[in-house]
Amino acid sequence: MRSRITFNIILTLLVVFSAFAKAYSQQPSSKKFKVVIDAGHGGDDPGKPSKAGFKESDIALKIALALGEQLEKNTDIDVVYTRKTDVFIKLRERGAIANREKADLFISIHCNAHNTQAYGTETYVLGLHANEENLRVAKAENSVIFMEEDYEVAYADYNINSPESIIGLNLMQEEFLDQSILIASMVQDNFTKDLGRKNRSVKQAGFVVLHQTTMPSILIETGFITNVTEGKYLASKKGQQEIAGAIAKSVRSYKDKVFVFEPTAFKEQSVAVEKKQIFNNVTFKVQLAASSKKLEPKSYNFKKLPEISRVRDGNLYKYYSGSTNDYNAIRKRLAEAKSKGYTSAFIVSFDDNNIKIPLDKVLN
Ligand SMILES: [Zn+2]
């Protein structure tokens, strides 16, 4: 009797183990989500001055390394650093690294400074400077190009002495603006909710480093090293771990939201995709781009993708392909859009009144 029980236990363990091994081996071999982490400044460029004695380049590096360490624990995330030590990296090389790596997300980490005791966190996406204060921050971060011996040639397009004139978005970058704003908002939310940091909000300004990348990109001012209390927090191991933790959490939720539907994963499920998966009272579309430019919603403007529509949303026009209540059909369209080069396209869902509803809500 006893040996029979033992046998049953072993059998059960075997079954569980083999099921587990099978599930593990069936993990899709699809591309991992790749994050490039950019610790601002370094080497001869210490970053912003702080009378309180805190060094931006050191703090940024420590937060960047802590962030990478936390993200690397996720088997579906790849981490690449622009620097892992105290070295000088040209501003244009930082974006170039992310582009060469074909990263899915670029995160540049910095600390703020001010001649008052201002404090709090702000996260930037690329855009026209909305006001003097944003311009001031961008100017300070951009000024590092003057340390590069050939900056006049290398940055000929950027007249950073009159930055308000320099950096507009091209269509390519506008395509990523929505996603950049999404991850930026998540970072600011987690800083506030989890860590109680003061929320100075998501902002737009013309950062050269963000202008050079071709993927969703943000620049985080993690706090003010000129503020005595905040500087101390940022310089502490606890502070760095916490800031890194909030960013890592944001990256994971962002990845889950945006990155789930990629062509290889789609291919592996192609059998299921043959079937219809109808959601009543829901319209799915694939968002291809968001732009301030008004283009004709014609197939020829969007690499011959069919069923193009255009919707005005604030200052932007959003361009979609497809319009269906069949979720599998829209997944097919997404794969097609991605294969035609809209690598950051994603599915959006609308209710009967044409109001956007979160996709995860629809699917659950
Ligand atoms: Zn900086």
PDB file of all heavy atoms in Angstrom, residues 118-147:
ATOM      1  N   ALA A 118      13.532  73.927  -5.135  1.00  0.00           N
ATOM      2  CA  ALA A 118      12.538  73.168  -5.904  1.00  0.00           C
ATOM      3  C   ALA A 118      12.818  71.672  -5.770  1.00  0.00           C
ATOM      4  O   ALA A 118      13.977  71.267  -5.631  1.00  0.00           O
ATOM      5  CB  ALA A 118      12.594  73.573  -7.368  1.00  0.00           C
ATOM      6  N   TYR A 119      11.758  70.855  -5.800  1.00  0.00           N
ATOM      7  CA  TYR A 119      11.944  69.413  -5.732  1.00  0.00           C
ATOM      8  C   TYR A 119      10.854  68.702  -6.507  1.00  0.00           C
ATOM      9  O   TYR A 119       9.843  69.301  -6.885  1.00  0.00           O
ATOM     10  CB  TYR A 119      11.975  68.932  -4.270  1.00  0.00           C
ATOM     11  CG  TYR A 119      10.681  69.110  -3.530  1.00  0.00           C
ATOM     12  CD1 TYR A 119       9.794  68.041  -3.372  1.00  0.00           C
ATOM     13  CD2 TYR A 119      10.329  70.353  -2.997  1.00  0.00           C
ATOM     14  CE1 TYR A 119       8.595  68.213  -2.691  1.00  0.00           C
ATOM     15  CE2 TYR A 119       9.128  70.525  -2.320  1.00  0.00           C
ATOM     16  CZ  TYR A 119       8.262  69.453  -2.170  1.00  0.00           C
ATOM     17  OH  TYR A 119       7.076  69.612  -1.513  1.00  0.00           O
ATOM     18  N   GLY A 120      11.035  67.421  -6.730  1.00  0.00           N
ATOM     19  CA  GLY A 120      10.041  66.617  -7.441  1.00  0.00           C
ATOM     20  C   GLY A 120      10.595  66.013  -8.718  1.00  0.00           C
ATOM     21  O   GLY A 120      11.721  66.303  -9.126  1.00  0.00           O
ATOM     22  N   THR A 121       9.781  65.138  -9.315  1.00  0.00           N
ATOM     23  CA  THR A 121      10.245  64.414 -10.503  1.00  0.00           C
ATOM     24  C   THR A 121       9.454  64.869 -11.730  1.00  0.00           C
ATOM     25  O   THR A 121       8.281  65.225 -11.626  1.00  0.00           O
ATOM     26  CB  THR A 121      10.005  62.903 -10.345  1.00  0.00           C
ATOM     27  OG1 THR A 121       8.594  62.668 -10.290  1.00  0.00           O
ATOM     28  CG2 THR A 121      10.651  62.364  -9.091  1.00  0.00           C
ATOM     29  N   GLU A 122      10.114  64.849 -12.869  1.00  0.00           N
ATOM     30  CA  GLU A 122       9.411  65.117 -14.124  1.00  0.00           C
ATOM     31  C   GLU A 122       9.979  64.224 -15.210  1.00  0.00           C
ATOM     32  O   GLU A 122      11.158  63.877 -15.200  1.00  0.00           O
ATOM     33  CB  GLU A 122       9.481  66.610 -14.504  1.00  0.00           C
ATOM     34  CG  GLU A 122      10.856  67.213 -14.430  1.00  0.00           C
ATOM     35  CD  GLU A 122      10.835  68.751 -14.388  1.00  0.00           C
ATOM     36  OE1 GLU A 122       9.971  69.330 -13.709  1.00  0.00           O
ATOM     37  OE2 GLU A 122      11.707  69.361 -15.030  1.00  0.00           O
ATOM     38  N   THR A 123       9.113  63.796 -16.125  1.00  0.00           N
ATOM     39  CA  THR A 123       9.549  62.917 -17.200  1.00  0.00           C
ATOM     40  C   THR A 123       9.208  63.571 -18.538  1.00  0.00           C
ATOM     41  O   THR A 123       8.088  64.027 -18.739  1.00  0.00           O
ATOM     42  CB  THR A 123       8.885  61.534 -17.085  1.00  0.00           C
ATOM     43  OG1 THR A 123       9.247  60.966 -15.822  1.00  0.00           O
ATOM     44  CG2 THR A 123       9.352  60.609 -18.196  1.00  0.00           C
ATOM     45  N   TYR A 124      10.225  63.623 -19.393  1.00  0.00           N
ATOM     46  CA  TYR A 124      10.085  64.335 -20.659  1.00  0.00           C
ATOM     47  C   TYR A 124       9.915  63.391 -21.844  1.00  0.00           C
ATOM     48  O   TYR A 124      10.533  62.320 -21.899  1.00  0.00           O
ATOM     49  CB  TYR A 124      11.325  65.194 -20.920  1.00  0.00           C
ATOM     50  CG  TYR A 124      11.334  66.475 -20.125  1.00  0.00           C
ATOM     51  CD1 TYR A 124      11.875  66.508 -18.839  1.00  0.00           C
ATOM     52  CD2 TYR A 124      10.782  67.641 -20.644  1.00  0.00           C
ATOM     53  CE1 TYR A 124      11.873  67.682 -18.101  1.00  0.00           C
ATOM     54  CE2 TYR A 124      10.779  68.818 -19.910  1.00  0.00           C
ATOM     55  CZ  TYR A 124      11.321  68.837 -18.649  1.00  0.00           C
ATOM     56  OH  TYR A 124      11.313  69.990 -17.929  1.00  0.00           O
ATOM     57  N   VAL A 125       9.093  63.835 -22.777  1.00  0.00           N
ATOM     58  CA  VAL A 125       9.068  63.234 -24.108  1.00  0.00           C
ATOM     59  C   VAL A 125       9.484  64.347 -25.065  1.00  0.00           C
ATOM     60  O   VAL A 125       9.409  65.529 -24.721  1.00  0.00           O
ATOM     61  CB  VAL A 125       7.680  62.671 -24.479  1.00  0.00           C
ATOM     62  CG1 VAL A 125       7.245  61.632 -23.476  1.00  0.00           C
ATOM     63  CG2 VAL A 125       6.646  63.784 -24.561  1.00  0.00           C
ATOM     64  N   LEU A 126       9.919  63.949 -26.238  1.00  0.00           N
ATOM     65  CA  LEU A 126      10.382  64.935 -27.198  1.00  0.00           C
ATOM     66  C   LEU A 126       9.229  65.792 -27.689  1.00  0.00           C
ATOM     67  O   LEU A 126       8.129  65.301 -27.943  1.00  0.00           O
ATOM     68  CB  LEU A 126      11.025  64.217 -28.390  1.00  0.00           C
ATOM     69  CG  LEU A 126      11.613  65.120 -29.467  1.00  0.00           C
ATOM     70  CD1 LEU A 126      12.778  65.910 -28.911  1.00  0.00           C
ATOM     71  CD2 LEU A 126      12.037  64.303 -30.670  1.00  0.00           C
ATOM     72  N   GLY A 127       9.478  67.085 -27.826  1.00  0.00           N
ATOM     73  CA  GLY A 127       8.446  67.954 -28.371  1.00  0.00           C
ATOM     74  C   GLY A 127       8.913  69.387 -28.352  1.00  0.00           C
ATOM     75  O   GLY A 127      10.021  69.678 -27.913  1.00  0.00           O
ATOM     76  N   LEU A 128       8.062  70.251 -28.808  1.00  0.00           N
ATOM     77  CA  LEU A 128       8.398  71.670 -28.765  1.00  0.00           C
ATOM     78  C   LEU A 128       8.317  72.122 -27.319  1.00  0.00           C
ATOM     79  O   LEU A 128       7.429  71.706 -26.585  1.00  0.00           O
ATOM     80  CB  LEU A 128       7.417  72.451 -29.634  1.00  0.00           C
ATOM     81  CG  LEU A 128       7.504  72.079 -31.114  1.00  0.00           C
ATOM     82  CD1 LEU A 128       6.408  72.782 -31.904  1.00  0.00           C
ATOM     83  CD2 LEU A 128       8.873  72.405 -31.682  1.00  0.00           C
ATOM     84  N   HIS A 129       9.247  72.992 -26.948  1.00  0.00           N
ATOM     85  CA  HIS A 129       9.250  73.478 -25.571  1.00  0.00           C
ATOM     86  C   HIS A 129       7.946  74.202 -25.297  1.00  0.00           C
ATOM     87  O   HIS A 129       7.622  75.165 -25.960  1.00  0.00           O
ATOM     88  CB  HIS A 129      10.398  74.449 -25.347  1.00  0.00           C
ATOM     89  CG  HIS A 129      11.633  74.075 -26.080  1.00  0.00           C
ATOM     90  ND1 HIS A 129      12.451  73.060 -25.669  1.00  0.00           N
ATOM     91  CD2 HIS A 129      12.174  74.563 -27.202  1.00  0.00           C
ATOM     92  CE1 HIS A 129      13.452  72.953 -26.515  1.00  0.00           C
ATOM     93  NE2 HIS A 129      13.316  73.846 -27.455  1.00  0.00           N
ATOM     94  N   ALA A 130       7.204  73.720 -24.320  1.00  0.00           N
ATOM     95  CA  ALA A 130       5.906  74.324 -24.049  1.00  0.00           C
ATOM     96  C   ALA A 130       6.072  75.638 -23.309  1.00  0.00           C
ATOM     97  O   ALA A 130       5.237  76.522 -23.384  1.00  0.00           O
ATOM     98  CB  ALA A 130       5.045  73.369 -23.248  1.00  0.00           C
ATOM     99  N   ASN A 131       7.152  75.776 -22.562  1.00  0.00           N
ATOM    100  CA  ASN A 131       7.354  77.016 -21.804  1.00  0.00           C
ATOM    101  C   ASN A 131       8.834  77.208 -21.472  1.00  0.00           C
ATOM    102  O   ASN A 131       9.664  76.346 -21.736  1.00  0.00           O
ATOM    103  CB  ASN A 131       6.507  77.001 -20.527  1.00  0.00           C
ATOM    104  CG  ASN A 131       6.850  75.788 -19.671  1.00  0.00           C
ATOM    105  OD1 ASN A 131       8.021  75.472 -19.473  1.00  0.00           O
ATOM    106  ND2 ASN A 131       5.837  75.108 -19.177  1.00  0.00           N
ATOM    107  N   GLU A 132       9.137  78.344 -20.879  1.00  0.00           N
ATOM    108  CA  GLU A 132      10.510  78.727 -20.554  1.00  0.00           C
ATOM    109  C   GLU A 132      11.203  77.702 -19.654  1.00  0.00           C
ATOM    110  O   GLU A 132      12.362  77.401 -19.824  1.00  0.00           O
ATOM    111  CB  GLU A 132      10.506  80.080 -19.829  1.00  0.00           C
ATOM    112  CG  GLU A 132      10.448  81.255 -20.768  1.00  0.00           C
ATOM    113  CD  GLU A 132      11.636  81.284 -21.724  1.00  0.00           C
ATOM    114  OE1 GLU A 132      12.777  81.211 -21.251  1.00  0.00           O
ATOM    115  OE2 GLU A 132      11.412  81.353 -22.946  1.00  0.00           O
ATOM    116  N   GLU A 133      10.443  77.168 -18.704  1.00  0.00           N
ATOM    117  CA  GLU A 133      11.039  76.271 -17.731  1.00  0.00           C
ATOM    118  C   GLU A 133      11.478  74.962 -18.402  1.00  0.00           C
ATOM    119  O   GLU A 133      12.584  74.474 -18.174  1.00  0.00           O
ATOM    120  CB  GLU A 133      10.043  75.993 -16.588  1.00  0.00           C
ATOM    121  CG  GLU A 133      10.542  75.077 -15.492  1.00  0.00           C
ATOM    122  CD  GLU A 133      11.872  75.509 -14.853  1.00  0.00           C
ATOM    123  OE1 GLU A 133      12.223  76.699 -14.929  1.00  0.00           O
ATOM    124  OE2 GLU A 133      12.557  74.627 -14.299  1.00  0.00           O
ATOM    125  N   ASN A 134      10.626  74.410 -19.267  1.00  0.00           N
ATOM    126  CA  ASN A 134      11.009  73.189 -19.981  1.00  0.00           C
ATOM    127  C   ASN A 134      12.216  73.452 -20.870  1.00  0.00           C
ATOM    128  O   ASN A 134      13.117  72.624 -20.991  1.00  0.00           O
ATOM    129  CB  ASN A 134       9.861  72.689 -20.858  1.00  0.00           C
ATOM    130  CG  ASN A 134       8.658  72.274 -20.037  1.00  0.00           C
ATOM    131  OD1 ASN A 134       8.636  72.496 -18.826  1.00  0.00           O
ATOM    132  ND2 ASN A 134       7.670  71.687 -20.679  1.00  0.00           N
ATOM    133  N   LEU A 135      12.220  74.632 -21.491  1.00  0.00           N
ATOM    134  CA  LEU A 135      13.320  75.017 -22.357  1.00  0.00           C
ATOM    135  C   LEU A 135      14.622  75.084 -21.560  1.00  0.00           C
ATOM    136  O   LEU A 135      15.666  74.616 -22.021  1.00  0.00           O
ATOM    137  CB  LEU A 135      13.006  76.377 -22.989  1.00  0.00           C
ATOM    138  CG  LEU A 135      14.138  77.068 -23.740  1.00  0.00           C
ATOM    139  CD1 LEU A 135      14.591  76.217 -24.921  1.00  0.00           C
ATOM    140  CD2 LEU A 135      13.676  78.444 -24.242  1.00  0.00           C
ATOM    141  N   ARG A 136      14.531  75.617 -20.362  1.00  0.00           N
ATOM    142  CA  ARG A 136      15.718  75.726 -19.510  1.00  0.00           C
ATOM    143  C   ARG A 136      16.309  74.342 -19.228  1.00  0.00           C
ATOM    144  O   ARG A 136      17.521  74.135 -19.320  1.00  0.00           O
ATOM    145  CB  ARG A 136      15.341  76.412 -18.179  1.00  0.00           C
ATOM    146  CG  ARG A 136      16.511  76.728 -17.272  1.00  0.00           C
ATOM    147  CD  ARG A 136      16.037  77.144 -15.877  1.00  0.00           C
ATOM    148  NE  ARG A 136      15.367  76.063 -15.162  1.00  0.00           N
ATOM    149  CZ  ARG A 136      16.002  75.049 -14.557  1.00  0.00           C
ATOM    150  NH1 ARG A 136      17.322  74.984 -14.580  1.00  0.00           N
ATOM    151  NH2 ARG A 136      15.313  74.097 -13.951  1.00  0.00           N
ATOM    152  N   VAL A 137      15.444  73.380 -18.909  1.00  0.00           N
ATOM    153  CA  VAL A 137      15.917  72.030 -18.596  1.00  0.00           C
ATOM    154  C   VAL A 137      16.557  71.388 -19.832  1.00  0.00           C
ATOM    155  O   VAL A 137      17.643  70.810 -19.757  1.00  0.00           O
ATOM    156  CB  VAL A 137      14.751  71.149 -18.069  1.00  0.00           C
ATOM    157  CG1 VAL A 137      15.218  69.725 -17.820  1.00  0.00           C
ATOM    158  CG2 VAL A 137      14.191  71.742 -16.787  1.00  0.00           C
ATOM    159  N   ALA A 138      15.889  71.543 -20.984  1.00  0.00           N
ATOM    160  CA  ALA A 138      16.427  70.936 -22.210  1.00  0.00           C
ATOM    161  C   ALA A 138      17.769  71.562 -22.570  1.00  0.00           C
ATOM    162  O   ALA A 138      18.720  70.873 -22.942  1.00  0.00           O
ATOM    163  CB  ALA A 138      15.436  71.112 -23.357  1.00  0.00           C
ATOM    164  N   LYS A 139      17.862  72.885 -22.430  1.00  0.00           N
ATOM    165  CA  LYS A 139      19.107  73.587 -22.745  1.00  0.00           C
ATOM    166  C   LYS A 139      20.252  73.057 -21.887  1.00  0.00           C
ATOM    167  O   LYS A 139      21.356  72.816 -22.365  1.00  0.00           O
ATOM    168  CB  LYS A 139      18.940  75.080 -22.464  1.00  0.00           C
ATOM    169  CG  LYS A 139      18.950  75.949 -23.705  1.00  0.00           C
ATOM    170  CD  LYS A 139      18.721  77.390 -23.278  1.00  0.00           C
ATOM    171  CE  LYS A 139      19.202  78.359 -24.326  1.00  0.00           C
ATOM    172  NZ  LYS A 139      18.765  79.747 -24.038  1.00  0.00           N
ATOM    173  N   ALA A 140      19.955  72.865 -20.581  1.00  0.00           N
ATOM    174  CA  ALA A 140      20.993  72.390 -19.662  1.00  0.00           C
ATOM    175  C   ALA A 140      21.465  70.997 -20.075  1.00  0.00           C
ATOM    176  O   ALA A 140      22.655  70.706 -20.068  1.00  0.00           O
ATOM    177  CB  ALA A 140      20.449  72.371 -18.242  1.00  0.00           C
ATOM    178  N   GLU A 141      20.518  70.123 -20.450  1.00  0.00           N
ATOM    179  CA  GLU A 141      20.915  68.758 -20.827  1.00  0.00           C
ATOM    180  C   GLU A 141      21.585  68.739 -22.200  1.00  0.00           C
ATOM    181  O   GLU A 141      22.451  67.909 -22.464  1.00  0.00           O
ATOM    182  CB  GLU A 141      19.704  67.820 -20.825  1.00  0.00           C
ATOM    183  CG  GLU A 141      18.980  67.681 -19.491  1.00  0.00           C
ATOM    184  CD  GLU A 141      19.802  67.024 -18.392  1.00  0.00           C
ATOM    185  OE1 GLU A 141      21.008  66.780 -18.591  1.00  0.00           O
ATOM    186  OE2 GLU A 141      19.236  66.768 -17.308  1.00  0.00           O
ATOM    187  N   ASN A 142      21.196  69.655 -23.078  1.00  0.00           N
ATOM    188  CA  ASN A 142      21.770  69.675 -24.430  1.00  0.00           C
ATOM    189  C   ASN A 142      23.173  70.272 -24.452  1.00  0.00           C
ATOM    190  O   ASN A 142      23.965  69.968 -25.352  1.00  0.00           O
ATOM    191  CB  ASN A 142      20.889  70.498 -25.379  1.00  0.00           C
ATOM    192  CG  ASN A 142      19.568  69.802 -25.696  1.00  0.00           C
ATOM    193  OD1 ASN A 142      19.425  68.601 -25.478  1.00  0.00           O
ATOM    194  ND2 ASN A 142      18.606  70.548 -26.205  1.00  0.00           N
ATOM    195  N   SER A 143      23.473  71.132 -23.465  1.00  0.00           N
ATOM    196  CA  SER A 143      24.714  71.910 -23.540  1.00  0.00           C
ATOM    197  C   SER A 143      25.961  71.033 -23.555  1.00  0.00           C
ATOM    198  O   SER A 143      27.034  71.480 -23.935  1.00  0.00           O
ATOM    199  CB  SER A 143      24.786  72.890 -22.380  1.00  0.00           C
ATOM    200  OG  SER A 143      24.890  72.156 -21.181  1.00  0.00           O
ATOM    201  N   VAL A 144      25.793  69.771 -23.167  1.00  0.00           N
ATOM    202  CA  VAL A 144      26.941  68.860 -23.140  1.00  0.00           C
ATOM    203  C   VAL A 144      27.556  68.681 -24.540  1.00  0.00           C
ATOM    204  O   VAL A 144      28.720  68.327 -24.673  1.00  0.00           O
ATOM    205  CB  VAL A 144      26.530  67.499 -22.533  1.00  0.00           C
ATOM    206  CG1 VAL A 144      25.477  66.818 -23.368  1.00  0.00           C
ATOM    207  CG2 VAL A 144      27.733  66.594 -22.377  1.00  0.00           C
ATOM    208  N   ILE A 145      26.812  68.976 -25.592  1.00  0.00           N
ATOM    209  CA  ILE A 145      27.392  68.790 -26.932  1.00  0.00           C
ATOM    210  C   ILE A 145      28.617  69.680 -27.136  1.00  0.00           C
ATOM    211  O   ILE A 145      29.484  69.357 -27.922  1.00  0.00           O
ATOM    212  CB  ILE A 145      26.377  69.038 -28.089  1.00  0.00           C
ATOM    213  CG1 ILE A 145      25.921  70.488 -28.131  1.00  0.00           C
ATOM    214  CG2 ILE A 145      25.202  68.089 -28.024  1.00  0.00           C
ATOM    215  CD1 ILE A 145      25.091  70.808 -29.379  1.00  0.00           C
ATOM    216  N   PHE A 146      28.697  70.800 -26.385  1.00  0.00           N
ATOM    217  CA  PHE A 146      29.848  71.687 -26.550  1.00  0.00           C
ATOM    218  C   PHE A 146      31.144  71.034 -26.081  1.00  0.00           C
ATOM    219  O   PHE A 146      32.229  71.516 -26.347  1.00  0.00           O
ATOM    220  CB  PHE A 146      29.617  73.013 -25.801  1.00  0.00           C
ATOM    221  CG  PHE A 146      28.461  73.787 -26.360  1.00  0.00           C
ATOM    222  CD1 PHE A 146      27.436  74.224 -25.530  1.00  0.00           C
ATOM    223  CD2 PHE A 146      28.384  74.058 -27.715  1.00  0.00           C
ATOM    224  CE1 PHE A 146      26.354  74.925 -26.053  1.00  0.00           C
ATOM    225  CE2 PHE A 146      27.311  74.758 -28.252  1.00  0.00           C
ATOM    226  CZ  PHE A 146      26.296  75.192 -27.413  1.00  0.00           C
ATOM    227  N   MET A 147      31.028  69.921 -25.360  1.00  0.00           N
ATOM    228  CA  MET A 147      32.231  69.203 -24.919  1.00  0.00           C
ATOM    229  C   MET A 147      32.746  68.277 -26.004  1.00  0.00           C
ATOM    230  O   MET A 147      33.818  67.694 -25.872  1.00  0.00           O
ATOM    231  CB  MET A 147      31.931  68.398 -23.650  1.00  0.00           C
ATOM    232  CG  MET A 147      31.589  69.295 -22.470  1.00  0.00           C
ATOM    233  SD  MET A 147      31.304  68.340 -20.974  1.00  0.00           S
ATOM    234  CE  MET A 147      32.985  67.784 -20.627  1.00  0.00           C
TER     235      MET A 147
END
